[in-house]
Amino acid sequence: MGLLALGYSVIAKMLGTTTLGWTSLMSSIWITGGILMVSIGLIGEYVGKILTETQQRPRFTIEEEIGTQEAVIRQFDKAV
């Protein structure tokens, strides 16, 4: 968005429809705003990942154990 505003500002400057200093002011505001929005988005992603890690939920759940002694006993009991 900032680059589009920069392009518009430069074209308006070339056409002579702007006042003195307007092009540089608008360009700096839009580009700085874009950089800030990207930075806030990155920080939000980082904080979101930290939140999911601190909730201490297991990354996966074990539905069935295979090959352990308890699993063999359970399978034998189901078969009988």
Side-chain angles (χ1 to χ4, degrees), residues 43-55:
I43 291 170
E45 287 288 329
Y46 184 69
V47 169
K49 288 185 186 285
I50 290 173
L51 178 66
T52 56
E53 288 294 322
T54 58
Q55 288 178 344

Side-chain angles (χ1 to χ4, degrees), residues 5-41:
L6 176 65
Y8 171 76
S9 299
V10 169
I11 291 172
K13 178 72 173 178
M14 287 181 193
L15 295 175
T17 59
T18 62
T19 59
L20 185 62
W22 182 85
T23 304
S24 60
L25 180 66
M26 288 297 116
S27 300
S28 63
I29 287 173
W30 279 96
I31 291 180
T32 302
I35 291 170
L36 287 173
M37 290 297 174
V38 169
S39 301
I40 290 171

